[in-house]
Amino acid sequence: MSSPQRAVSLTTPELPRKAVLQAVGRTIDEWGSRNLRALPWRDTRDPWHILVAEVALQQTQAPRVAERYASLTSALSSPTATVELGKGGVIALWSGLGYNARAVRLHAAAEAIVERFSGVVPSSNDDLRSLPGIGPYTAAAIEAFAFERDVAVYDTNVARVMARAVLGAPTTATHGWQVVSAMVPAGSGWSFNQAIIDVGATLCTARNPQCDACPLRRRCAWKRSGALIDPALSTAGTSRPQGRFEGSARQARGRVVERLRQGSATFRQLHDVTGWEDEAKVRAIVVALIDEGLITRHAANYSLG
DNA sequence: CAATCGTGGAG
DNA sequence: TCTCCAAGATT
């Protein structure tokens, strides 16, 4: 007799009602129609230029990438041009952006596109994910922003909006993505995703959120609950706590690569720029940089690529 | 899965 | 000055 009503699983949190999510989605989209930031990659649908921008945007603030967008897309005008510039050229171009492995992967992605996709950026999620340096976020971003598909992007900004305004509780990347996926207004994937990212980046910020100006202030779950603790503190696995930078391997690696952007150098010169005493430790990071394809050695000289 | 991977601006 | 963290991906 006991007919199973509905399967409630502890590992599969329920989604808020679809109608509610759709209403929130339209509210965000409408706000975006009047408040989107003027960012250069929003004026194109060139899949390669958007791919370049999205890779540069990984863990790097939009205003910093915006300053570099023109020079990046000029030097990396197409997958073919990127391949021809060479890996070292792309790494050199990446100066100041951080996370130099992204330059290596961007060059590799260009090669893959030329070799496997005839130089045309693929549009399916699986094909995009098969490219070096293109993960869950970036693949969805290219689908939505270059091909205007109604998919949801899920980055640190969206994660905050989900945890705070929509759910009012900490969540996981998987669940948060399911929730936002149900919010995308049909036919408005491009504008909705741009809008929700901007809500997170300009209003629902990590620190000191501007709730008074938020289009969701009326229905914000966090605000309505009156909770003092921020639901977005340890949420979504989109942004992880970072170790101390001063004196770290990351700092020394960055100095080595930056030095090589000026031209080739000897080990002694690389050792000097690290500011480290222990030569063995410097040798270790140089070996690692070679293994990772960031630098090469010709006889006694090191260079990019 | 937790650690690793740069650099710079904001508070 | 110092801490936090930013349109994540990879191993």
Side-chain angles (χ1 to χ4, degrees), chain A residues 14-257:
Chain A
E14 289 183 58
L15 269 60
R17 298 194 49 166
K18 174 79 172 181
V20 172
L21 295 178
Q22 284 285 295
V24 178
R26 286 192 298 272
T27 299
I28 292 171
D29 193 36
E30 196 277 333
W31 175 89
S33 69
R34 292 174 288 104
N35 298 284
L36 282 193
R37 290 174 292 175
L39 297 167
W41 50 87
R42 289 178 168 171
D43 294 328
T44 184
R45 296 295 184 275
D46 183 306
W48 175 249
H49 290 180
I50 287 173
L51 187 156
V52 170
E54 290 299 340
V55 169
L57 284 163
Q58 291 166 1
Q59 293 287 284
T60 304
Q61 289 100 328
R64 273 214 292 151
V65 176
E67 295 180 352
R68 304 286 297 277
Y69 180 79
S71 59
L72 285 173
T73 53
S74 175
L76 311 175
S77 59
S78 67
T80 301
T82 302
V83 171
E84 290 174 352
L85 178 60
K87 185 168 62 172
V90 180
I91 297 171
L93 196 65
W94 212 254
S95 178
L97 289 173
Y99 284 158
N100 298 310
R102 293 182 296 169
V104 174
R105 295 178 189 140
L106 183 58
H107 180 260
E111 288 185 324
I113 290 169
V114 168
E115 294 170 13
R116 294 161 41 206
F117 299 102
S118 306
V120 178
V121 177
S123 61
S124 80
N125 189 275
D126 284 349
D127 285 344
L128 289 166
R129 287 293 304 276
S130 78
L131 301 173
I134 308 300
Y137 163 76
T138 308
I142 295 167
E143 288 185 82
F145 299 142
F147 300 107
E148 302 192 16
R149 298 188 54 207
D150 289 343
V151 300
V153 305
Y154 195 77
D155 72 338
T156 187
N157 295 300
V158 178
R160 269 198 309 279
V161 176
M162 291 303 105
R164 289 175 175 167
V166 180
L167 299 171
T171 184
T172 63
T174 300
H175 185 238
W177 178 78
Q178 288 179 31
V179 174
V180 70
S181 292
M183 293 172 54
V184 184
S188 301
W190 188 95
S191 59
F192 167 78
N193 283 294
Q194 299 285 15
I196 193 169
I197 284 175
D198 271 20
V199 168
T202 68
L203 300 175
C204 198
T205 49
R207 289 170 294 184
N208 193 28
Q210 308 296 303
C211 300
D212 291 342
C214 183
L216 304 179
R217 61 187 177 282
R218 297 299 169 89
R219 61 169 89 229
C220 177
W222 182 29
K223 201 170 175 58
R224 294 176 68 128
S225 75
L228 297 179
I229 53 136
D230 182 355
L233 275 186
S234 60
T235 204
T238 51
S239 190
R240 300 300 315 148
Q242 302 167 15
R244 193 157 265 92
F245 183 67
E246 191 63 30
S248 68
R250 291 158 80 158
Q251 181 183 48
R253 288 166 52 104
R255 287 175 175 172
V256 166
V257 173

